[in-house]
Amino acid sequence: FLEAASLGYLMRDADGQPYRQDFGGFLAGTIDLFNSEAKDWYRDEMIRNMVELGLGGWMADFGEYTPLDMLTSDPLHDLEAEERHNQLPVQWASCNREVLEASGQLGHVVPFMRSGGLGSSKYQVLAWAGDQNVDWSLGDGVASTVI
């Protein structure tokens, strides 16, 4: 967070400060994936801190968590609130795809995504149905997603 904030790579609030949002018990910032420098930086961080550590995949979720009052890092080239909200999941899918392509791990590492938007499926490797129970029940357990 501190490194991304110091580089100006986080989405911002109306006061120009990094937008902090509750992700279910902890506050986090969101990388401004509309900023190509920020997206490239984050792609490289993901390669170093995930792919090169040997992860075989990850849950690339929460692309849909874009409040309408969250702004890009560049106020002169910001999008309308609804467009920004709808396009961030596409940018997030694209970023994950770039991680795989840049690291040469496409087909070997599998991020799975629940969030999406128009155009994101061309970047996704695996779509995930969402939060299941932590059992094998057919109603809403892991077994309901395997099929």
Side-chain angles (χ1 to χ4, degrees), residues 1 24 51 144:
F1 177 90
V51 176
S144 69

Side-chain angles (χ1 to χ4, degrees), residues 36-111:
S36 61
E37 288 180 18
K39 187 175 180 182
D40 291 349
W41 173 83
Y42 201 52
R43 177 202 62 218
D44 294 344
E45 288 295 303
M46 291 174 70
I47 291 169
R48 268 192 298 282
N49 293 293
M50 296 166 71
V51 176
E52 291 178 359
L53 291 178
L55 294 183
W58 52 84
M59 181 178 77
D61 205 3
F62 300 112
E64 76 280 8
Y65 276 34
T66 314
L68 295 178
D69 63 338
M70 180 187 281
L71 307 170
T72 67
S73 59
D74 182 0
L76 296 177
H77 297 98
D78 206 351
L79 305 168
E80 293 295 323
E82 292 84 2
E83 184 178 358
R84 186 174 50 248
H85 172 81
N86 291 333
Q87 286 300 313
L88 191 65
V90 178
Q91 292 299 320
W92 180 225
S94 171
C95 183
N96 277 270
R97 183 64 170 236
E98 288 179 23
V99 167
L100 302 179
E101 291 174 352
S103 65
Q105 294 300 308
L106 184 61
H108 302 285
V109 173
V110 182

